[in-house]
């Protein structure tokens, strides 16, 4: 640390320390600065250093330390008030409120002392002439803390009735406190309405909207406003994550996770802040934190995950069950200390109620990566007899009912039958069905079991079903890649079933099963066919499908199995049309097949075909049909649709709805896609895609913080190998845009540079140039001028290679403004602006046609204007010692550039009216500064004349009325200013 030798150096050091992150290091530095201040023998230096120390303590986990510097400040005020300037006098009275609330948070401070302090605060505010608004607010906090509801309500009313003055908390903090009380009293809707101006950004401060976002989570959940709750969690957690002093707000985000089925995310939040388990500086926030830790751990234990390892206090490993016990004990011990101090049981009652909260939503998807903590569902219960043992006949009857009607759950029902039948004597038919359905679950490995089932069916006297089982054996061989063998194997059963059916030896269902099996095998061969002979293979498959349709046509009746055969046959014809290149017919036939399944009461079977129809419609450019089919697939799948399929359908719907500009609906589908991908265990693949898309749709809505959280969650899983480097670049690009909007310029630059490094290797360099340029913007806004100039230079070289004059000129102008920041940078800045002017003029003169010439002319006008602004700025900031005659010469040069801008924009006519009048006014101000009043007045009047007859209402176009009003107002101000100078 450099030695502090004077008051100015002390002030600079305190200002620098104020910018450091909250925490013990900043506090320790404040203590060092107080020591340095005491050596200066300047009373105000000590006062300011004490105020600085008090402030950093308050905004940290060591709030309990602020009472000592405040007591010293108060003593200095009482002894030598003349040593305090106006600012420090105001600050001293302001921090009374911090000390008052800080005492409440410390259970070792007696309640009588707090009440006495409240009286002291009221007395001193009255002496200083301040309103009692802040005093009544502090009284309300005391009453609410101890559970004196009647007094709290009286103080609340008095707080709102008192006049706002300079001692009142800022609007944001006041509204948060008022909303908090409404929520405490169960008036959630009123609370959220009070917070609205803070949540929407109308009011803000160092800790708002951070705390309002956190406080709104549970009320919004209770109100059923889940989308808002999700958004507030993503926005709010981003704000509190890095702020050590906000343990209480952090706890509310952990609580939100515990109450919405996001236990895994809650554990991630705990892992990010290990010190929160043990920090003792503010017991109230520790109580808040430990109570929600207990809530989360109880939730995990209740889900059967009590033995899971979880983040906890350092020094040992913790299971959820162990941490639940520890956190509950800590919470109640702290609550007891407060209650003993307060003489009530209110704090303990509230803590117990918080720890006992039940989830408000079973699972609220957040969009960020999440792993479900709930264990796999238990196997379905099986029917039991009175003895409590499985009842094989009842199970068998239920399994047959489900499979005969193609109901969901048939596979599990037959598995239950197989389990119950072990050691039980069954007839051949029963054993055949058990073997048959067990084989169905084995895929290509079930061929041998199908053959065994065929033998048992034959033994039971059902030759038709035996042939059907042999056909199924052949089909699963085809699925395993043995297509030619399968074609040979099915020939015998096919011939035999037709003969048997003709002789009346079997039924339509068995015959249709064999004919369908043969058609499926021939379809497998058709899909694999290529080269000569393909047409014949397709024709044979089509003949087999049409044979099935002819067999069952008009004869399905109430038999859903036959209806399903007919529907599947339509889909097979669709596949064959697709293989033949007739996509329109394929789409029509898939639609017919899906409709047939729905008509048969089997909508879940239609999902695959609606999805394939959507893909075809998308390929054919029929986006409306693609969207209809995707929505139908989701509707038809219902509860039977498995997580991976649901994720795919939602992701495709996100693409379609986003493509027609519906960013809000597209974001909802992407959110659902991410959720179901996580449920399916595909977070790193399909889930990353969904999150990348969700981030983009949120960005379109300017929901910057939410988009940033989602994109940051997606990036670790996005890889060039799995998702393509384009997806990685786009995610980083979008994230850079979000971070830039959020004011996180250094981080934005990092993401943009990372994206640019990948795009550097692409054949087309437009994206590389754009990203390098954007990185320059972020680096410049982050105060990294050297790095920004390097990025803009890189972008400029790329723009030049691409022949993009607009990009080249803008990069040169940006570099000129950066150069001006250097102590001797005017010469370089002037050279860069001159180079930009030449590039514009050359490109304009060489333009091939008027259409391309006009935007280049406009760019030239803007460049002249910025050249003039830069020169004028150099004089205003005293660049390179400009003064006297040299300063006047630069002003003249600036004026000449702005006049050139006016001339260029004038040549563009009405299309550049606002640009021309803006330059006209800039020239007028320069002329006024040069003492040329008549010329300045003439320019102001010219601007007013230019807008005669123009409507300045806001309905004349996007921002049009506002532009007109702004120009008229500035021209009027110029006329008034010149008149005052002349007067």
């Amino acid at each position: 640390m450099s030695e502090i030798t004077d008051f100015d150096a002390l002030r600079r050091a305190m200002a620098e320390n104020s910018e450091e992150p909250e925490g013990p290091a900043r506090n320790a530095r404040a203590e060092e600065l107080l020591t340095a201040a005491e050596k200066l023998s300047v009373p105000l230096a000590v006062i300011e250093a004490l105020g600085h120390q008090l402030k950093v303590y308050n905004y940290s986990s060591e709030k309990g330390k602020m009472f000592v510097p405040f007591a010293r400040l108060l003593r200095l005020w009482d002894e030598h008030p003349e040593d305090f300037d106006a600012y420090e006098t105001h600050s001293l009275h302001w921090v009374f409120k911090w000390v008052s609330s800080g005492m409440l948070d410390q259970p070792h401070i007696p309640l009588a002392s707090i009440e006495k302090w409240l009286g002291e605060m009221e007395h001193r505010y009255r002496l200083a002439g301040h309103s009692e608004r802040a005093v009544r607010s502090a009284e309300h906090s005391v009453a609410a803390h101890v559970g004196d509801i009647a007094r709290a309500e009286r103080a609340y009313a008095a707080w709102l009735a008192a006049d706002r003055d300079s001692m009142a908390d800022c609007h944001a903090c006041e509204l948060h406190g008022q909303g908090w009380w409404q929520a405490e009293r169960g008036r959630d809707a009123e609370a959220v309405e009070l917070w609205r101006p803070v949540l929407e950004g109308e009011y803000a401060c160092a800790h708002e909207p951070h705390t309002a976002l956190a406080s709104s989570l549970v009320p919004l959940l209770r109100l059923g406003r889940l989308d808002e709750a999700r958004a507030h969690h993503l926005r709010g957690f981003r704000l509190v994550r890095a702020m050590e002093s906000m343990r209480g707000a952090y706890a509310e985000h952990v609580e939100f996770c515990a109450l919405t089925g996001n236990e895994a995310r809650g554990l991630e939040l705990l892992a990010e802040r290990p010190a929160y388990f043990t920090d003792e500086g503010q017991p109230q926030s520790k109580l808040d934190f430990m109570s929600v830790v207990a809530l989360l751990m109880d939730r995990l234990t209740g889900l059967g995950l009590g033995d899971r390892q979880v983040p906890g206090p350092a020094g040992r490993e913790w299971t959820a069950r162990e941490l639940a016990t520890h956190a509950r004990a800590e919470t109640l011990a702290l609550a007891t200390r407060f209650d003993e101090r307060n003489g009530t049981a209110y704090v303990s009652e509230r803590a117990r109620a918080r720890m006992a909260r039940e989830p408000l939503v079973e699972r609220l998807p957040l969009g960020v990566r999440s792993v479900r903590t709930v264990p796999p569902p238990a196997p379905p219960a099986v029917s039991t007899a009175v003895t409590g043992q499985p009842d094989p006949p009842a199970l068998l009857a239920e399994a047959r009912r489900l499979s005969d009607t193609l109901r969901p759950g048939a596979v599990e029902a037959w598995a239950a039958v197989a389990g119950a039948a072990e050691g039980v004597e069954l007839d051949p038919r029963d054993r055949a069905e058990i073997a048959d359905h067990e084989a169905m679950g084995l895929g290509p490995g079930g061929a041998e079991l199908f053959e065994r089932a065929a033998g048992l069916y034959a033994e039971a006297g059902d030759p038709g079903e035996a042939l059907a089982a042999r056909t199924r054996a052949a089909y699963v061989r085809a699925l395993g890649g043995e297509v030619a063998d399968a074609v040979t194997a099915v020939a015998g059963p096919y011939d035999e079933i037709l003969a048997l059916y003709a002789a009346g030896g079997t039924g339509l269902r068995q015959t249709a099963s064999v004919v369908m099996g043969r058609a499926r095998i021939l379809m497998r061969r058709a899909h694999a066919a290529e080269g000569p002979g393909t047409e014949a293979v397709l024709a044979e498959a089509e003949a087999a499908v049409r044979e099935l349709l002819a067999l069952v046509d008009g004869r399905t009746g109430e038999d859903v199995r036959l209806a399903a055969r007919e529907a599947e046959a339509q889909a097979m014809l669709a596949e064959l049309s697709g293989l033949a290149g007739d996509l329109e017919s394929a789409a029509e036939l898939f639609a017919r097949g899906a409709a047939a399944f729905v008509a048969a009461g089997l909508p879940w079977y239609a999902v695959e075909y609606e999805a394939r129809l959507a893909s075809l419609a998308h390929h054919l450019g029929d986006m409306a049909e693609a969207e209809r089919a995707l929505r139908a697939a989701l509707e038809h799948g219902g509860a039977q649709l498995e997580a991976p399929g649901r994720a795919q359908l939602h992701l495709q719907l996100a693409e379609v709805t986003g493509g027609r500009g519906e960013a809000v609906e597209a974001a909802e589908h992407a959110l659902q896609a991410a959720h179901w991908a996580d449920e399916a265990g595909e977070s790193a693949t399909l889930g990353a895609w969904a999150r990348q898309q969700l981030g983009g749709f949120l960005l379109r809505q300017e929901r910057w913080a939410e988009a940033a959280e989602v994109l940051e969650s997606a990036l670790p899983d996005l890889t060039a190998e799995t998702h393509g480097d384009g997806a990685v670049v786009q995610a980083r690009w979008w994230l850079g845009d979000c971070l830039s909007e959020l004011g996180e310029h250094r981080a934005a630059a990092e993401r943009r540079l990372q994206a640019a490094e990948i795009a550097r290797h692409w054949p087309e360099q437009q994206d590389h140039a754009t990203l390098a340029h954007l990185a320059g913007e972020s680096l410049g806004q982050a105060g990294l001028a050297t790095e920004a100039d390097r990025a803009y230079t890189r972008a400029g070289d790329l723009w030049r290679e691409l022949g993009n004059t607009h990009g080249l000129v803008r990069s040169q102008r940006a570099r000129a403004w950066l150069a001006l920041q250097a102590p001797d940078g005017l010469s370089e800045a002037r050279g860069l602006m001159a180079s930009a002017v030449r590039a514009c003029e050359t490109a304009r003169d060489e333009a091939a046609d008027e259409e391309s010439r006009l935007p280049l002319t406009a760019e030239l006008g803007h460049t002249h204007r910025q050249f003039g602004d830069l020169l004028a700025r150099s004089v205003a900031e005293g660049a390179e010692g400009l003064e006297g005659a040299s300063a006047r010469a630069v002003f003249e040069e600036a004026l000449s550039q702005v006049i050139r801008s006016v001339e260029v924009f004038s040549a563009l006519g009405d299309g550049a009216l606002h640009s021309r009048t803006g330059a006209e006014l800039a020239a007028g101000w320069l002329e006024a500064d040069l003492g040329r009043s008549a010329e300045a007045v003439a320019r102001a009047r010219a601007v007013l004349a230019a807008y005669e007859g123009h409507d300045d209402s806001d309905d004349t176009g996007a921002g049009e009325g506002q532009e007109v009003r702004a120009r008229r107002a500035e021209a009027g101000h110029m006329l008034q200013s010149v008149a005052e100078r002349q007067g």
Side-chain angles (χ1 to χ4, degrees):
M1 153 178 110
S2 58
E3 187 178 357
I4 304 297
T5 57
D6 56 51
F7 199 176
D8 288 340
L10 176 69
R11 283 175 164 166
R12 285 194 300 271
M14 290 190 294
E16 291 169 2
N17 195 43
S18 294
E19 297 301 316
E20 293 299 311
E22 294 178 353
R26 187 170 74 158
N27 295 352
R29 176 61 172 155
E31 292 162 7
E32 293 173 354
L33 293 174
L34 175 59
T35 300
E38 291 169 336
K39 297 176 180 177
L40 296 178
S41 299
V42 178
L44 185 57
V46 174
I47 291 167
E48 290 189 11
L50 284 167
H52 173 67
Q53 190 181 77
L54 198 156
K55 181 178 180 180
V56 299
Y57 283 156
N58 186 60
Y59 291 108
S60 79
S61 62
E62 298 180 306
K63 291 178 185 285
K65 289 185 174 182
M66 68 180 175
F67 304 117
V68 172
F70 182 74
R72 186 175 171 189
L73 269 175
L74 196 59
R75 186 174 69 252
L76 290 173
W77 168 261
D78 289 338
E79 294 173 353
H80 298 285
E82 69 278 4
D83 290 340
F84 287 70
D85 61 16
Y87 179 81
E88 293 303 326
T89 299
H90 177 274
S91 296
L92 175 70
H93 288 81
W94 181 267
V95 296
F96 261 93
K97 299 177 296 182
W98 293 358
V99 175
S100 175
S101 62
M103 286 181 172
L104 277 179
D105 296 340
Q106 304 290 334
H108 70 277
I109 299 179
L111 187 61
S113 298
I114 297 173
E115 293 284 7
K116 181 181 178 182
W117 182 259
L118 190 61
E120 179 76 8
M121 178 181 174
E122 183 173 9
H123 172 68
R124 287 180 180 267
Y125 272 38
R126 189 180 300 114
L127 286 178
H130 296 307
S131 163
E132 66 170 13
R133 188 178 182 94
V135 178
R136 298 285 77 84
S137 173
E139 182 188 5
H140 172 263
S141 297
V142 173
H145 173 75
V146 302
D148 187 342
I149 305 303
R151 182 187 179 193
E153 291 284 22
R154 290 195 303 272
Y156 183 86
W159 168 17
L160 269 60
D163 292 335
R164 278 188 57 83
D165 68 350
S166 62
M167 281 299 114
D169 281 340
C170 74
H171 282 290
C173 287
E174 279 211 331
L175 289 173
H176 173 254
Q178 293 161 18
W180 173 85
W181 180 241
Q182 297 300 325
E184 280 291 300
R185 303 304 298 148
R187 299 185 284 264
D188 291 332
E190 292 88 338
V192 174
E193 180 58 27
L194 277 166
W195 289 324
R196 184 183 53 77
V198 182
L199 301 172
E200 293 179 357
E202 184 177 344
Y203 301 120
C205 68
H207 278 181
E208 293 296 349
H210 315 44
T211 55
L213 286 164
S215 296
S216 72
L217 295 173
V218 171
L220 286 170
L221 291 175
R222 289 194 294 241
L223 291 168
R225 293 160 64 171
L226 305 184
D227 289 342
E228 292 173 76
R230 175 196 302 112
H232 289 193
H233 169 62
L234 294 177
R235 281 178 59 202
F237 182 67
R238 186 172 191 86
L239 291 171
V240 304
R241 174 186 275 138
M243 299 185 73
E244 185 213 34
S245 64
M246 303 200 71
R247 179 163 55 180
Y250 199 99
E252 289 176 299
H253 287 280
V254 176
E255 179 180 41
F256 167 84
C257 294
L259 298 178
T260 58
N262 287 287
E263 297 86 4
R265 179 166 172 82
L267 293 176
E268 292 173 6
L269 268 56
L270 295 185
E272 287 192 32
R273 279 291 184 183
Y276 277 173
F277 289 99
T278 53
D279 281 347
E280 302 290 348
Q282 190 188 26
Q284 178 63 61
S285 71
K286 184 178 182 183
L287 188 157
D288 293 337
F289 183 76
M290 296 307 287
S291 66
V292 301
V293 171
L295 171 68
L296 178 60
M297 296 306 127
D298 282 345
R299 173 72 179 147
L300 290 170
T301 303
L303 292 171
L305 300 171
D307 293 327
R308 174 173 177 164
Q309 285 205 342
V310 295
R316 56 162 288 186
E317 293 183 347
W318 295 87
T319 66
R321 185 178 292 103
E322 291 167 342
L323 186 55
T325 302
H326 171 78
R328 181 175 297 277
E330 286 267 302
T331 299
L332 293 176
L334 281 166
T336 298
R337 289 175 58 197
F338 280 107
D339 286 341
E340 289 173 348
R341 187 268 303 275
N342 300 338
T344 68
Y346 188 67
V347 175
S348 293
E349 290 169 0
R350 292 181 71 250
R352 285 193 174 90
R354 191 173 197 180
M355 291 188 287
R357 278 180 174 163
E358 292 293 328
L360 295 167
V361 185
E362 182 182 352
R363 185 78 189 279
L364 179 62
L366 301 179
V368 293
R369 183 172 182 174
S370 178
V371 179
R372 182 118 199 207
T373 50
V374 178
V382 297
S383 175
T384 60
V386 178
T387 61
Q389 298 300 314
D391 180 8
L395 291 174
L396 193 57
E398 177 64 6
R400 282 175 177 154
R401 183 189 70 81
L402 292 174
S403 57
D404 283 348
T405 55
L406 300 178
R407 298 294 106 180
V411 172
E412 293 81 5
W414 280 106
V417 170
E422 291 183 10
V424 177
E425 187 68 31
L426 298 173
D427 63 36
R429 177 73 193 199
D430 295 341
R431 287 185 285 129
E433 289 185 81
I434 292 172
D436 201 1
H437 287 90
E438 184 180 349
M440 291 178 191
L442 298 177
E448 186 178 335
L449 199 54
F450 276 128
E451 295 287 1
R452 188 190 308 167
L456 290 167
Y457 281 126
E459 184 182 340
D462 191 344
E465 202 61 58
L467 291 170
R470 286 173 57 195
T471 300
R472 288 190 281 275
Y475 178 57
V476 295
R477 288 192 177 95
L479 290 178
E482 303 173 22
V483 179
D485 291 344
V487 172
T488 302
V490 80
Y494 170 70
D495 291 338
E496 291 178 46
I497 199 74
L498 293 180
L500 191 63
Y501 180 60
T506 192
L508 179 58
R509 179 187 284 190
Q510 289 78 13
T511 305
S513 180
V514 174
V515 175
M516 173 57 84
R518 176 173 177 269
R520 287 171 174 169
I521 291 169
L522 293 175
M523 287 294 297
R524 299 291 297 182
R525 186 173 68 173
H527 279 288
E530 57 183 4
T534 297
E535 190 173 330
V537 170
L538 296 179
E540 186 177 4
E542 182 177 351
V545 175
R546 293 195 181 281
E547 179 183 12
L548 172 67
L549 286 170
L551 178 66
V552 300
D553 184 36
R555 305 173 64 192
T556 58
E558 298 298 318
D559 192 330
V560 296
R561 280 183 173 273
L562 291 177
R565 302 290 189 211
E566 188 174 33
E568 186 179 348
Q570 297 289 350
M572 286 178 166
L573 291 178
E575 291 183 50
L576 290 167
S577 293
L579 290 172
D582 186 354
L583 302 186
E584 288 83 359
S585 294
E588 181 183 343
L589 287 163
F590 273 131
R592 194 180 302 170
F597 272 120
V598 174
L602 303 169
W604 47 90
Y605 284 100
V607 172
E608 176 186 354
Y609 304 121
E610 293 282 19
R612 294 174 75 172
L613 170 57
S615 179
L616 280 172
H618 195 290
H619 183 77
L620 293 168
D622 188 349
M623 304 311 293
E625 175 62 7
E627 184 175 343
R628 183 212 63 77
L630 290 167
R631 292 186 188 281
L634 278 171
E635 179 185 351
H636 296 330
Q640 310 308 319
L641 188 56
E642 294 184 354
R646 195 178 294 275
Q648 288 279 8
L649 291 171
H650 276 297
L651 190 55
Q652 291 175 63
L653 264 173
E655 180 184 355
V656 172
T657 53
R660 60 179 173 83
E662 297 293 336
V664 174
E665 184 179 357
E668 177 58 30
H669 285 300
L671 173 69
Q672 291 298 325
H675 167 68
W676 289 108
D678 290 341
E679 294 288 287
E682 296 186 18
S683 293
T685 50
L686 187 59
W689 268 117
R691 273 180 272 282
Q692 192 249 23
Q693 291 296 301
L694 174 58
F697 292 130
L698 291 171
L699 178 143
R700 281 200 215 174
Q701 299 172 60
E702 299 185 359
R703 294 161 65 177
W704 313 113
E706 296 166 67
E709 281 292 301
V710 170
L711 290 167
E712 286 173 345
S713 176
L715 272 170
D717 291 326
L718 283 173
T719 65
E721 295 75 20
T722 302
H723 306 94
D725 54 9
V728 179
V729 167
Q730 185 65 80
R732 287 177 172 161
W733 191 330
W734 281 335
L735 180 54
D737 291 348
C738 292
L739 295 172
S740 178
E741 292 289 343
L742 293 169
E744 300 175 36
H745 299 301
R746 188 184 290 261
E750 180 182 356
R751 294 303 188 180
R752 288 168 166 174
L753 289 171
Q754 289 170 346
E757 184 58 26
I758 298 174
R760 182 170 68 89
H761 303 286
W762 293 353
E764 169 55 54
Q765 290 289 284
Q766 177 76 22
D767 287 340
H768 181 198
T770 303
L771 285 162
H773 198 113
L774 289 171
E777 288 183 9
S778 294
L779 290 164
Q781 289 169 316
L784 302 171
T786 302
E787 293 84 350
D789 183 74
R790 191 180 303 126
Y792 278 128
T793 301
R794 176 181 175 184
D797 292 342
L798 291 166
W799 291 131
R800 186 179 289 105
E801 292 172 12
L802 290 165
N804 188 321
T805 301
H806 296 283
L808 170 62
V809 167
R810 290 169 188 176
S811 67
Q812 289 176 326
R813 293 198 309 238
R815 290 183 62 206
W817 283 105
L818 286 170
L820 189 64
Q821 298 176 18
D824 300 316
L826 178 57
S827 176
E828 182 182 355
R830 182 187 276 114
L832 285 163
M833 280 292 186
S835 178
V837 168
R838 288 193 298 272
C840 270
E841 290 174 337
T842 300
R844 178 199 59 184
D845 295 342
E846 295 176 354
D849 50 47
E850 189 67 13
E851 184 178 356
S852 55
R853 185 177 298 110
L854 288 176
L856 288 166
T857 303
E859 196 73 75
L860 176 61
H862 290 300
T863 305
H864 278 302
R865 168 67 192 276
Q866 285 203 31
F867 200 166
D869 290 346
L870 179 141
L871 292 167
R873 175 81 62 83
S874 72
V875 176
E877 296 180 356
E880 298 182 8
L882 291 174
E883 56 185 26
S886 61
R888 185 175 184 83
V890 175
F891 258 133
E892 294 282 6
E893 185 184 356
L895 177 60
S896 69
Q897 289 292 337
V898 178
I899 290 173
R900 287 287 296 124
S901 176
V902 173
E903 293 168 350
V904 172
F905 286 132
S906 296
L908 292 172
D910 290 342
L913 174 62
H914 298 320
S915 297
R916 175 175 67 79
T917 55
E920 193 92 58
L921 290 166
W925 287 116
L926 285 168
E927 285 169 330
D929 288 338
L930 288 166
R932 300 170 189 168
S933 300
E935 289 87 341
V937 167
R939 292 196 185 276
R941 288 175 176 164
V943 169
L944 291 173
Y947 287 112
E948 285 183 5
H950 280 251
D951 186 358
D952 65 0
S953 63
D954 284 329
D955 58 1
T956 57
E960 180 72 15
Q962 186 177 355
E963 287 277 7
V964 174
R965 289 195 303 275
R967 293 290 187 271
R968 284 173 171 165
E970 187 176 354
H973 177 51
M974 183 179 294
L975 290 173
Q976 180 181 356
S977 177
V978 170
E980 289 173 353
R981 292 186 192 186
Q982 289 176 325

